[in-house]
Amino acid sequence: MGNPTDRRCFMSSIALAGAGLLIGGCSRRTTPTSLAESRREGEAPEELVTPGEDLMREHGLLERVLLIYEEADRRTRAGQSALPIIAASAEIIRTFIEAYHEKLEEEYVFPVFEKAKRGVALMSTLRAQHVAGRKLTSQITDLTRSPGPQSSNQLSPLIHEFIRMYRPHAAREETVVFREFTELLDPSSYANLGDQFEEREHKLFGENGFENMVNKVAALEQQLAIYDLSQFTPR
């Protein structure tokens, strides 16, 4: 991710530009004005990620894990062993989605709506679904750790329930919650929140936490031979 100071400066500049103001000198270094200039100077362009964009791309990672769940479940029901892949997928969901992404929503996003008395019923449902998802993940993990003769039969409905809940859950957050969230915070608070998200991610997963998680997901996709996107194109 980009430098927190640079990102905060970027967000503040947008807010002030809308008011007809111009500020300067808030970045600790000069940022190239274009990709071409960046390449000429041999520098990578700044990655400017807003809190909403941060949460959205984490949803993208979740969707890829759901696709892995689907394929691993299909293979398991067909008699092929995919329990290690299901276990690895559940661990990604537990550590990155439930213990990080959802905690951000519960601590920083949902309370903003609840304080404004906006979408309170929706926030309650989303919180309840987080709890239900963690229960399902725990059950899935337990079955993969101590597999028995009926493990495949027991896993399949749990995976189905998890996918069935999280696809509409994520879609509602993306089209309602994350969009309206920006309306309930002033630009400065919104920018500062991005810094807090980044600091939390670095603390839990290191400097390239998200990128490392994407690589883990890609490795599981490759094991299932579903990494090549072109195979999903209708012929």
Short mmCIF file of all heavy atoms in Angstrom, two decimals, residues 143-208:
data_model
loop_
_atom_site.label_atom_id
_atom_site.label_comp_id
_atom_site.label_asym_id
_atom_site.label_seq_id
_atom_site.Cartn_x
_atom_site.Cartn_y
_atom_site.Cartn_z
N LEU A 143 -13.76 -30.26 11.15
CA LEU A 143 -13.95 -31.44 10.31
C LEU A 143 -12.71 -31.75 9.47
O LEU A 143 -12.42 -32.92 9.20
CB LEU A 143 -15.17 -31.27 9.41
CG LEU A 143 -16.53 -31.41 10.09
CD1 LEU A 143 -17.66 -31.00 9.14
CD2 LEU A 143 -16.74 -32.86 10.56
N THR A 144 -12.00 -30.72 9.06
CA THR A 144 -10.79 -30.97 8.25
C THR A 144 -9.62 -31.43 9.13
O THR A 144 -8.72 -32.12 8.64
CB THR A 144 -10.37 -29.72 7.47
OG1 THR A 144 -10.11 -28.63 8.38
CG2 THR A 144 -11.45 -29.30 6.49
N ARG A 145 -9.63 -31.06 10.40
CA ARG A 145 -8.56 -31.47 11.30
C ARG A 145 -8.72 -32.91 11.77
O ARG A 145 -7.74 -33.61 12.01
CB ARG A 145 -8.51 -30.53 12.51
CG ARG A 145 -7.94 -29.16 12.20
CD ARG A 145 -8.02 -28.25 13.42
NE ARG A 145 -7.39 -26.97 13.16
CZ ARG A 145 -7.50 -25.91 13.98
NH1 ARG A 145 -8.20 -26.02 15.11
NH2 ARG A 145 -6.92 -24.77 13.67
N SER A 146 -9.96 -33.32 11.94
CA SER A 146 -10.24 -34.69 12.40
C SER A 146 -11.21 -35.36 11.44
O SER A 146 -12.38 -35.61 11.78
CB SER A 146 -10.81 -34.66 13.82
OG SER A 146 -9.94 -34.01 14.71
N PRO A 147 -10.76 -35.62 10.22
CA PRO A 147 -11.65 -36.19 9.22
C PRO A 147 -12.08 -37.61 9.57
O PRO A 147 -11.29 -38.40 10.09
CB PRO A 147 -10.81 -36.16 7.94
CG PRO A 147 -9.40 -36.20 8.41
CD PRO A 147 -9.39 -35.44 9.70
N GLY A 148 -13.34 -37.90 9.32
CA GLY A 148 -13.86 -39.24 9.55
C GLY A 148 -14.58 -39.73 8.31
O GLY A 148 -14.59 -39.04 7.28
N PRO A 149 -15.20 -40.90 8.38
CA PRO A 149 -15.88 -41.47 7.22
C PRO A 149 -16.97 -40.56 6.65
O PRO A 149 -17.23 -40.57 5.45
CB PRO A 149 -16.49 -42.77 7.77
CG PRO A 149 -15.66 -43.09 8.97
CD PRO A 149 -15.26 -41.78 9.55
N GLN A 150 -17.59 -39.76 7.51
CA GLN A 150 -18.69 -38.91 7.07
C GLN A 150 -18.29 -37.44 6.90
O GLN A 150 -19.16 -36.58 6.73
CB GLN A 150 -19.85 -39.00 8.07
CG GLN A 150 -20.43 -40.40 8.23
CD GLN A 150 -20.99 -40.91 6.92
OE1 GLN A 150 -21.67 -40.18 6.18
NE2 GLN A 150 -20.73 -42.18 6.62
N SER A 151 -17.00 -37.17 6.94
CA SER A 151 -16.54 -35.77 6.88
C SER A 151 -17.03 -35.06 5.63
O SER A 151 -17.49 -33.92 5.68
CB SER A 151 -15.01 -35.71 6.95
OG SER A 151 -14.56 -36.09 8.22
N SER A 152 -16.91 -35.73 4.48
CA SER A 152 -17.32 -35.10 3.22
C SER A 152 -18.79 -34.75 3.23
O SER A 152 -19.19 -33.66 2.81
CB SER A 152 -17.02 -36.04 2.04
OG SER A 152 -15.64 -36.28 1.94
N ASN A 153 -19.61 -35.67 3.75
CA ASN A 153 -21.05 -35.43 3.81
C ASN A 153 -21.39 -34.30 4.77
O ASN A 153 -22.34 -33.54 4.55
CB ASN A 153 -21.79 -36.70 4.23
CG ASN A 153 -21.70 -37.79 3.18
OD1 ASN A 153 -21.53 -37.50 1.99
ND2 ASN A 153 -21.81 -39.04 3.60
N GLN A 154 -20.61 -34.17 5.84
CA GLN A 154 -20.86 -33.12 6.83
C GLN A 154 -20.34 -31.77 6.36
O GLN A 154 -20.91 -30.72 6.68
CB GLN A 154 -20.21 -33.50 8.17
CG GLN A 154 -20.84 -34.71 8.83
CD GLN A 154 -20.06 -35.16 10.05
OE1 GLN A 154 -18.84 -35.28 10.02
NE2 GLN A 154 -20.76 -35.43 11.14
N LEU A 155 -19.23 -31.78 5.62
CA LEU A 155 -18.63 -30.53 5.16
C LEU A 155 -19.49 -29.84 4.10
O LEU A 155 -19.61 -28.61 4.12
CB LEU A 155 -17.25 -30.81 4.57
CG LEU A 155 -16.06 -30.79 5.51
CD1 LEU A 155 -14.82 -31.30 4.81
CD2 LEU A 155 -15.84 -29.38 6.05
N SER A 156 -20.03 -30.60 3.20
CA SER A 156 -20.72 -30.01 2.06
C SER A 156 -21.83 -29.04 2.45
O SER A 156 -21.89 -27.91 1.95
CB SER A 156 -21.27 -31.12 1.16
OG SER A 156 -21.76 -30.57 -0.05
N PRO A 157 -22.76 -29.41 3.36
CA PRO A 157 -23.80 -28.44 3.73
C PRO A 157 -23.26 -27.20 4.45
O PRO A 157 -23.80 -26.11 4.30
CB PRO A 157 -24.74 -29.25 4.64
CG PRO A 157 -23.95 -30.43 5.07
CD PRO A 157 -22.99 -30.71 3.97
N LEU A 158 -22.16 -27.37 5.21
CA LEU A 158 -21.57 -26.22 5.89
C LEU A 158 -20.98 -25.23 4.88
O LEU A 158 -21.17 -24.01 5.00
CB LEU A 158 -20.47 -26.69 6.85
CG LEU A 158 -20.91 -27.57 8.03
CD1 LEU A 158 -19.69 -28.03 8.81
CD2 LEU A 158 -21.88 -26.81 8.94
N ILE A 159 -20.27 -25.77 3.91
CA ILE A 159 -19.70 -24.92 2.86
C ILE A 159 -20.80 -24.24 2.07
O ILE A 159 -20.70 -23.04 1.75
CB ILE A 159 -18.78 -25.76 1.95
CG1 ILE A 159 -17.52 -26.16 2.71
CG2 ILE A 159 -18.41 -24.98 0.69
CD1 ILE A 159 -16.62 -27.13 1.96
N HIS A 160 -21.84 -24.98 1.75
CA HIS A 160 -22.97 -24.41 1.00
C HIS A 160 -23.61 -23.26 1.78
O HIS A 160 -23.91 -22.20 1.21
CB HIS A 160 -24.00 -25.49 0.70
CG HIS A 160 -25.22 -24.99 0.02
ND1 HIS A 160 -25.25 -24.65 -1.32
CD2 HIS A 160 -26.47 -24.72 0.49
CE1 HIS A 160 -26.46 -24.21 -1.65
NE2 HIS A 160 -27.21 -24.25 -0.57
N GLU A 161 -23.82 -23.46 3.08
CA GLU A 161 -24.42 -22.41 3.91
C GLU A 161 -23.53 -21.17 3.96
O GLU A 161 -24.02 -20.03 3.91
CB GLU A 161 -24.67 -22.93 5.33
CG GLU A 161 -25.85 -23.87 5.44
CD GLU A 161 -26.09 -24.29 6.88
OE1 GLU A 161 -25.48 -23.68 7.79
OE2 GLU A 161 -26.89 -25.22 7.11
N PHE A 162 -22.23 -21.39 4.08
CA PHE A 162 -21.29 -20.27 4.15
C PHE A 162 -21.35 -19.45 2.86
O PHE A 162 -21.46 -18.22 2.90
CB PHE A 162 -19.87 -20.80 4.38
CG PHE A 162 -18.87 -19.72 4.69
CD1 PHE A 162 -18.60 -19.37 6.01
CD2 PHE A 162 -18.18 -19.06 3.68
CE1 PHE A 162 -17.68 -18.37 6.30
CE2 PHE A 162 -17.26 -18.06 3.97
CZ PHE A 162 -17.01 -17.72 5.28
N ILE A 163 -21.29 -20.12 1.72
CA ILE A 163 -21.32 -19.43 0.42
C ILE A 163 -22.65 -18.74 0.22
O ILE A 163 -22.71 -17.58 -0.23
CB ILE A 163 -21.05 -20.43 -0.72
CG1 ILE A 163 -19.62 -20.97 -0.62
CG2 ILE A 163 -21.28 -19.77 -2.08
CD1 ILE A 163 -19.32 -22.11 -1.57
N ARG A 164 -23.74 -19.43 0.55
CA ARG A 164 -25.08 -18.88 0.35
C ARG A 164 -25.29 -17.60 1.15
O ARG A 164 -25.97 -16.67 0.71
CB ARG A 164 -26.14 -19.92 0.74
CG ARG A 164 -27.57 -19.47 0.46
CD ARG A 164 -28.56 -20.58 0.81
NE ARG A 164 -29.93 -20.17 0.49
CZ ARG A 164 -30.70 -19.48 1.30
NH1 ARG A 164 -30.25 -19.11 2.51
NH2 ARG A 164 -31.93 -19.14 0.95
N MET A 165 -24.68 -17.51 2.32
CA MET A 165 -24.83 -16.31 3.15
C MET A 165 -23.90 -15.19 2.70
O MET A 165 -24.31 -14.03 2.63
CB MET A 165 -24.55 -16.64 4.63
CG MET A 165 -24.66 -15.42 5.56
SD MET A 165 -24.38 -15.82 7.29
CE MET A 165 -22.62 -16.16 7.30
N TYR A 166 -22.64 -15.54 2.38
CA TYR A 166 -21.66 -14.48 2.17
C TYR A 166 -21.76 -13.79 0.82
O TYR A 166 -21.33 -12.63 0.70
CB TYR A 166 -20.24 -14.99 2.40
CG TYR A 166 -19.80 -14.74 3.82
CD1 TYR A 166 -19.84 -15.75 4.78
CD2 TYR A 166 -19.40 -13.47 4.24
CE1 TYR A 166 -19.47 -15.51 6.10
CE2 TYR A 166 -19.03 -13.22 5.54
CZ TYR A 166 -19.06 -14.25 6.47
OH TYR A 166 -18.72 -14.00 7.77
N ARG A 167 -22.31 -14.44 -0.19
CA ARG A 167 -22.43 -13.74 -1.47
C ARG A 167 -23.42 -12.58 -1.37
O ARG A 167 -23.07 -11.46 -1.74
CB ARG A 167 -22.80 -14.73 -2.57
CG ARG A 167 -21.58 -15.56 -3.00
CD ARG A 167 -21.66 -16.00 -4.43
NE ARG A 167 -20.36 -16.51 -4.85
CZ ARG A 167 -20.13 -17.76 -5.25
NH1 ARG A 167 -21.13 -18.62 -5.29
NH2 ARG A 167 -18.92 -18.13 -5.62
N PRO A 168 -24.64 -12.77 -0.87
CA PRO A 168 -25.53 -11.61 -0.70
C PRO A 168 -25.03 -10.65 0.38
O PRO A 168 -25.25 -9.44 0.27
CB PRO A 168 -26.87 -12.24 -0.33
CG PRO A 168 -26.56 -13.61 0.14
CD PRO A 168 -25.34 -14.04 -0.60
N HIS A 169 -24.37 -11.16 1.39
CA HIS A 169 -23.81 -10.32 2.46
C HIS A 169 -22.81 -9.33 1.86
O HIS A 169 -22.90 -8.11 2.08
CB HIS A 169 -23.12 -11.22 3.49
CG HIS A 169 -22.41 -10.49 4.58
ND1 HIS A 169 -22.93 -10.33 5.84
CD2 HIS A 169 -21.18 -9.88 4.61
CE1 HIS A 169 -22.07 -9.65 6.60
NE2 HIS A 169 -21.01 -9.37 5.87
N ALA A 170 -21.86 -9.84 1.09
CA ALA A 170 -20.84 -8.98 0.49
C ALA A 170 -21.44 -8.03 -0.53
O ALA A 170 -21.06 -6.85 -0.60
CB ALA A 170 -19.75 -9.84 -0.16
N ALA A 171 -22.40 -8.52 -1.31
CA ALA A 171 -23.03 -7.68 -2.33
C ALA A 171 -23.77 -6.51 -1.70
O ALA A 171 -23.73 -5.38 -2.21
CB ALA A 171 -23.98 -8.51 -3.19
N ARG A 172 -24.44 -6.74 -0.57
CA ARG A 172 -25.17 -5.65 0.09
C ARG A 172 -24.20 -4.63 0.67
O ARG A 172 -24.44 -3.42 0.60
CB ARG A 172 -26.05 -6.23 1.21
CG ARG A 172 -27.05 -5.22 1.78
CD ARG A 172 -28.07 -4.79 0.72
NE ARG A 172 -28.80 -5.92 0.22
CZ ARG A 172 -29.94 -6.36 0.73
NH1 ARG A 172 -30.47 -5.76 1.78
NH2 ARG A 172 -30.57 -7.38 0.19
N GLU A 173 -23.10 -5.09 1.22
CA GLU A 173 -22.11 -4.15 1.75
C GLU A 173 -21.51 -3.31 0.63
O GLU A 173 -21.32 -2.10 0.79
CB GLU A 173 -21.01 -4.92 2.48
CG GLU A 173 -21.44 -5.49 3.82
CD GLU A 173 -20.31 -6.14 4.58
OE1 GLU A 173 -19.31 -6.53 3.96
OE2 GLU A 173 -20.43 -6.26 5.82
N GLU A 174 -21.23 -3.93 -0.50
CA GLU A 174 -20.59 -3.22 -1.60
C GLU A 174 -21.51 -2.18 -2.23
O GLU A 174 -21.06 -1.10 -2.61
CB GLU A 174 -20.12 -4.22 -2.66
CG GLU A 174 -18.95 -5.07 -2.19
CD GLU A 174 -18.71 -6.27 -3.09
OE1 GLU A 174 -19.35 -6.35 -4.16
OE2 GLU A 174 -17.89 -7.13 -2.72
N THR A 175 -22.79 -2.50 -2.35
CA THR A 175 -23.71 -1.60 -3.06
C THR A 175 -24.43 -0.62 -2.13
O THR A 175 -24.97 0.38 -2.60
CB THR A 175 -24.77 -2.41 -3.83
OG1 THR A 175 -25.46 -3.29 -2.91
CG2 THR A 175 -24.12 -3.24 -4.92
N VAL A 176 -24.42 -0.89 -0.84
CA VAL A 176 -25.13 -0.01 0.11
C VAL A 176 -24.17 0.54 1.16
O VAL A 176 -23.95 1.76 1.26
CB VAL A 176 -26.30 -0.74 0.79
CG1 VAL A 176 -26.97 0.17 1.83
CG2 VAL A 176 -27.31 -1.22 -0.23
N VAL A 177 -23.58 -0.33 1.95
CA VAL A 177 -22.82 0.10 3.11
C VAL A 177 -21.58 0.91 2.73
O VAL A 177 -21.40 2.04 3.21
CB VAL A 177 -22.41 -1.11 3.98
CG1 VAL A 177 -21.59 -0.63 5.19
CG2 VAL A 177 -23.65 -1.85 4.45
N PHE A 178 -20.73 0.38 1.88
CA PHE A 178 -19.49 1.08 1.55
C PHE A 178 -19.77 2.37 0.79
O PHE A 178 -19.03 3.35 0.91
CB PHE A 178 -18.56 0.18 0.73
CG PHE A 178 -18.15 -1.08 1.44
CD1 PHE A 178 -17.65 -2.16 0.73
CD2 PHE A 178 -18.25 -1.19 2.82
CE1 PHE A 178 -17.26 -3.33 1.37
CE2 PHE A 178 -17.88 -2.35 3.48
CZ PHE A 178 -17.38 -3.43 2.75
N ARG A 179 -20.84 2.38 0.00
CA ARG A 179 -21.19 3.60 -0.77
C ARG A 179 -21.70 4.69 0.17
O ARG A 179 -21.29 5.84 0.08
CB ARG A 179 -22.25 3.25 -1.81
CG ARG A 179 -22.77 4.47 -2.60
CD ARG A 179 -23.76 4.03 -3.66
NE ARG A 179 -24.88 3.29 -3.10
CZ ARG A 179 -25.96 3.87 -2.57
NH1 ARG A 179 -26.05 5.18 -2.51
NH2 ARG A 179 -26.94 3.14 -2.10
N GLU A 180 -22.58 4.34 1.09
CA GLU A 180 -23.16 5.35 1.98
C GLU A 180 -22.21 5.74 3.10
O GLU A 180 -22.35 6.81 3.70
CB GLU A 180 -24.47 4.82 2.57
CG GLU A 180 -25.56 4.60 1.52
CD GLU A 180 -26.87 4.16 2.13
OE1 GLU A 180 -26.95 4.09 3.38
OE2 GLU A 180 -27.82 3.91 1.37
N PHE A 181 -21.24 4.89 3.38
CA PHE A 181 -20.28 5.16 4.44
C PHE A 181 -19.54 6.48 4.19
O PHE A 181 -19.31 7.26 5.11
CB PHE A 181 -19.29 4.00 4.52
CG PHE A 181 -18.28 4.11 5.62
CD1 PHE A 181 -18.66 4.36 6.92
CD2 PHE A 181 -16.93 3.93 5.35
CE1 PHE A 181 -17.73 4.45 7.95
CE2 PHE A 181 -15.98 4.02 6.36
CZ PHE A 181 -16.38 4.28 7.65
N THR A 182 -19.21 6.74 2.93
CA THR A 182 -18.48 7.96 2.59
C THR A 182 -19.32 9.20 2.84
O THR A 182 -18.77 10.29 3.04
CB THR A 182 -18.04 7.94 1.12
OG1 THR A 182 -19.19 7.84 0.28
CG2 THR A 182 -17.13 6.76 0.84
N GLU A 183 -20.64 9.05 2.83
CA GLU A 183 -21.53 10.20 3.06
C GLU A 183 -21.65 10.55 4.53
O GLU A 183 -22.06 11.66 4.88
CB GLU A 183 -22.92 9.90 2.49
CG GLU A 183 -22.94 9.54 1.01
CD GLU A 183 -24.30 9.06 0.55
OE1 GLU A 183 -25.25 9.10 1.38
OE2 GLU A 183 -24.42 8.62 -0.60
N LEU A 184 -21.29 9.61 5.41
CA LEU A 184 -21.49 9.81 6.84
C LEU A 184 -20.23 10.30 7.56
O LEU A 184 -20.29 10.63 8.74
CB LEU A 184 -21.95 8.50 7.49
CG LEU A 184 -23.30 7.97 6.99
CD1 LEU A 184 -23.60 6.61 7.62
CD2 LEU A 184 -24.42 8.95 7.32
N LEU A 185 -19.10 10.35 6.83
CA LEU A 185 -17.85 10.82 7.42
C LEU A 185 -17.34 12.04 6.66
O LEU A 185 -17.48 12.11 5.44
CB LEU A 185 -16.78 9.72 7.39
CG LEU A 185 -16.91 8.56 8.37
CD1 LEU A 185 -15.77 7.59 8.14
CD2 LEU A 185 -16.89 9.04 9.81
N ASP A 186 -16.72 12.98 7.36
CA ASP A 186 -16.08 14.10 6.67
C ASP A 186 -14.81 13.58 6.01
O ASP A 186 -14.25 12.55 6.42
CB ASP A 186 -15.76 15.23 7.65
CG ASP A 186 -14.77 14.80 8.72
OD1 ASP A 186 -13.56 14.88 8.46
OD2 ASP A 186 -15.22 14.38 9.80
N PRO A 187 -14.33 14.25 4.95
CA PRO A 187 -13.16 13.75 4.20
C PRO A 187 -11.93 13.49 5.05
O PRO A 187 -11.21 12.52 4.81
CB PRO A 187 -12.91 14.88 3.19
CG PRO A 187 -14.25 15.51 2.99
CD PRO A 187 -14.91 15.46 4.34
N SER A 188 -11.68 14.33 6.04
CA SER A 188 -10.50 14.15 6.88
C SER A 188 -10.59 12.86 7.69
O SER A 188 -9.63 12.09 7.77
CB SER A 188 -10.33 15.34 7.81
OG SER A 188 -9.23 15.16 8.67
N SER A 189 -11.76 12.62 8.29
CA SER A 189 -11.95 11.40 9.07
C SER A 189 -11.85 10.16 8.18
O SER A 189 -11.29 9.13 8.57
CB SER A 189 -13.31 11.42 9.77
OG SER A 189 -13.38 12.49 10.69
N TYR A 190 -12.39 10.29 6.97
CA TYR A 190 -12.36 9.17 6.02
C TYR A 190 -10.91 8.83 5.65
O TYR A 190 -10.51 7.67 5.61
CB TYR A 190 -13.17 9.53 4.78
CG TYR A 190 -13.40 8.40 3.82
CD1 TYR A 190 -14.17 7.29 4.18
CD2 TYR A 190 -12.89 8.44 2.53
CE1 TYR A 190 -14.40 6.26 3.30
CE2 TYR A 190 -13.11 7.41 1.63
CZ TYR A 190 -13.88 6.32 2.02
OH TYR A 190 -14.10 5.30 1.13
N ALA A 191 -10.11 9.86 5.38
CA ALA A 191 -8.71 9.65 5.03
C ALA A 191 -7.92 9.05 6.20
O ALA A 191 -7.12 8.14 6.03
CB ALA A 191 -8.07 10.96 4.59
N ASN A 192 -8.15 9.56 7.40
CA ASN A 192 -7.46 9.04 8.58
C ASN A 192 -7.82 7.59 8.84
O ASN A 192 -6.99 6.80 9.32
CB ASN A 192 -7.80 9.88 9.81
CG ASN A 192 -7.16 11.26 9.77
OD1 ASN A 192 -6.12 11.44 9.14
ND2 ASN A 192 -7.77 12.22 10.42
N LEU A 193 -9.06 7.23 8.50
CA LEU A 193 -9.49 5.85 8.68
C LEU A 193 -8.68 4.92 7.79
O LEU A 193 -8.34 3.80 8.17
CB LEU A 193 -10.98 5.73 8.36
CG LEU A 193 -11.68 4.46 8.82
CD1 LEU A 193 -11.58 4.32 10.34
CD2 LEU A 193 -13.14 4.49 8.39
N GLY A 194 -8.35 5.39 6.60
CA GLY A 194 -7.52 4.60 5.71
C GLY A 194 -6.17 4.29 6.33
O GLY A 194 -5.64 3.18 6.18
N ASP A 195 -5.61 5.27 7.01
CA ASP A 195 -4.33 5.06 7.69
C ASP A 195 -4.46 3.99 8.78
O ASP A 195 -3.58 3.14 8.96
CB ASP A 195 -3.85 6.36 8.32
CG ASP A 195 -3.49 7.41 7.27
OD1 ASP A 195 -3.36 7.04 6.09
OD2 ASP A 195 -3.35 8.59 7.64
N GLN A 196 -5.58 4.04 9.52
CA GLN A 196 -5.79 3.07 10.59
C GLN A 196 -5.93 1.66 10.03
O GLN A 196 -5.42 0.69 10.60
CB GLN A 196 -7.02 3.44 11.40
CG GLN A 196 -6.89 4.74 12.17
CD GLN A 196 -8.14 5.11 12.93
OE1 GLN A 196 -8.61 4.34 13.77
NE2 GLN A 196 -8.72 6.26 12.64
N PHE A 197 -6.65 1.55 8.90
CA PHE A 197 -6.79 0.24 8.26
C PHE A 197 -5.42 -0.31 7.87
O PHE A 197 -5.12 -1.48 8.07
CB PHE A 197 -7.66 0.37 7.00
CG PHE A 197 -9.14 0.50 7.27
CD1 PHE A 197 -9.62 0.69 8.54
CD2 PHE A 197 -10.04 0.45 6.23
CE1 PHE A 197 -10.98 0.84 8.80
CE2 PHE A 197 -11.40 0.58 6.45
CZ PHE A 197 -11.88 0.77 7.74
N GLU A 198 -4.61 0.56 7.27
CA GLU A 198 -3.30 0.12 6.80
C GLU A 198 -2.39 -0.28 7.96
O GLU A 198 -1.68 -1.29 7.89
CB GLU A 198 -2.64 1.24 5.99
CG GLU A 198 -1.32 0.83 5.35
CD GLU A 198 -0.79 1.88 4.39
OE1 GLU A 198 -1.20 3.04 4.50
OE2 GLU A 198 0.04 1.52 3.54
N GLU A 199 -2.43 0.49 9.03
CA GLU A 199 -1.61 0.17 10.19
C GLU A 199 -2.01 -1.18 10.80
O GLU A 199 -1.16 -1.98 11.20
CB GLU A 199 -1.73 1.28 11.22
CG GLU A 199 -1.04 2.58 10.81
CD GLU A 199 -1.39 3.75 11.72
OE1 GLU A 199 -2.10 3.51 12.73
OE2 GLU A 199 -0.98 4.87 11.42
N ARG A 200 -3.33 -1.43 10.85
CA ARG A 200 -3.81 -2.70 11.39
C ARG A 200 -3.35 -3.86 10.51
O ARG A 200 -2.92 -4.90 11.02
CB ARG A 200 -5.33 -2.67 11.47
CG ARG A 200 -5.98 -3.98 11.96
CD ARG A 200 -5.94 -4.15 13.45
NE ARG A 200 -6.74 -3.15 14.12
CZ ARG A 200 -8.05 -3.31 14.41
NH1 ARG A 200 -8.68 -4.43 14.09
NH2 ARG A 200 -8.72 -2.37 15.04
N GLU A 201 -3.46 -3.68 9.21
CA GLU A 201 -3.05 -4.74 8.28
C GLU A 201 -1.56 -5.05 8.42
O GLU A 201 -1.15 -6.21 8.49
CB GLU A 201 -3.36 -4.35 6.84
CG GLU A 201 -2.96 -5.42 5.82
CD GLU A 201 -3.17 -4.96 4.40
OE1 GLU A 201 -4.26 -4.44 4.09
OE2 GLU A 201 -2.24 -5.12 3.58
N HIS A 202 -0.74 -4.00 8.48
CA HIS A 202 0.70 -4.21 8.60
C HIS A 202 1.06 -4.88 9.93
O HIS A 202 1.97 -5.72 9.99
CB HIS A 202 1.44 -2.88 8.48
CG HIS A 202 1.41 -2.31 7.10
ND1 HIS A 202 1.92 -1.07 6.79
CD2 HIS A 202 0.94 -2.83 5.92
CE1 HIS A 202 1.76 -0.85 5.49
NE2 HIS A 202 1.17 -1.90 4.96
N LYS A 203 0.36 -4.52 10.98
CA LYS A 203 0.63 -5.10 12.30
C LYS A 203 0.32 -6.59 12.31
O LYS A 203 1.07 -7.39 12.91
CB LYS A 203 -0.20 -4.37 13.36
CG LYS A 203 0.04 -4.90 14.78
CD LYS A 203 -0.79 -4.12 15.79
CE LYS A 203 -0.57 -4.66 17.20
NZ LYS A 203 -1.37 -3.91 18.21
N LEU A 204 -0.76 -6.98 11.65
CA LEU A 204 -1.19 -8.38 11.69
C LEU A 204 -0.50 -9.25 10.65
O LEU A 204 -0.22 -10.42 10.91
CB LEU A 204 -2.71 -8.46 11.48
CG LEU A 204 -3.58 -7.90 12.60
CD1 LEU A 204 -5.05 -7.93 12.19
CD2 LEU A 204 -3.38 -8.68 13.89
N PHE A 205 -0.24 -8.67 9.46
CA PHE A 205 0.21 -9.51 8.35
C PHE A 205 1.52 -9.06 7.70
O PHE A 205 1.95 -9.67 6.73
CB PHE A 205 -0.89 -9.57 7.27
CG PHE A 205 -2.23 -10.00 7.80
CD1 PHE A 205 -3.26 -9.08 7.94
CD2 PHE A 205 -2.45 -11.31 8.19
CE1 PHE A 205 -4.49 -9.46 8.45
CE2 PHE A 205 -3.67 -11.71 8.69
CZ PHE A 205 -4.70 -10.78 8.82
N GLY A 206 2.11 -8.01 8.19
CA GLY A 206 3.35 -7.54 7.60
C GLY A 206 3.13 -6.49 6.53
O GLY A 206 2.00 -6.12 6.20
N GLU A 207 4.22 -6.03 5.95
CA GLU A 207 4.19 -4.91 5.01
C GLU A 207 3.33 -5.18 3.79
O GLU A 207 2.63 -4.32 3.29
CB GLU A 207 5.62 -4.57 4.58
CG GLU A 207 5.73 -3.33 3.70
CD GLU A 207 5.43 -2.04 4.45
OE1 GLU A 207 5.53 -2.05 5.70
OE2 GLU A 207 5.07 -1.05 3.81
N ASN A 208 3.39 -6.41 3.27
CA ASN A 208 2.63 -6.76 2.06
C ASN A 208 1.56 -7.80 2.39
O ASN A 208 1.41 -8.80 1.69
CB ASN A 208 3.57 -7.30 0.98
CG ASN A 208 4.61 -6.27 0.57
OD1 ASN A 208 4.28 -5.14 0.21
ND2 ASN A 208 5.88 -6.64 0.65
#
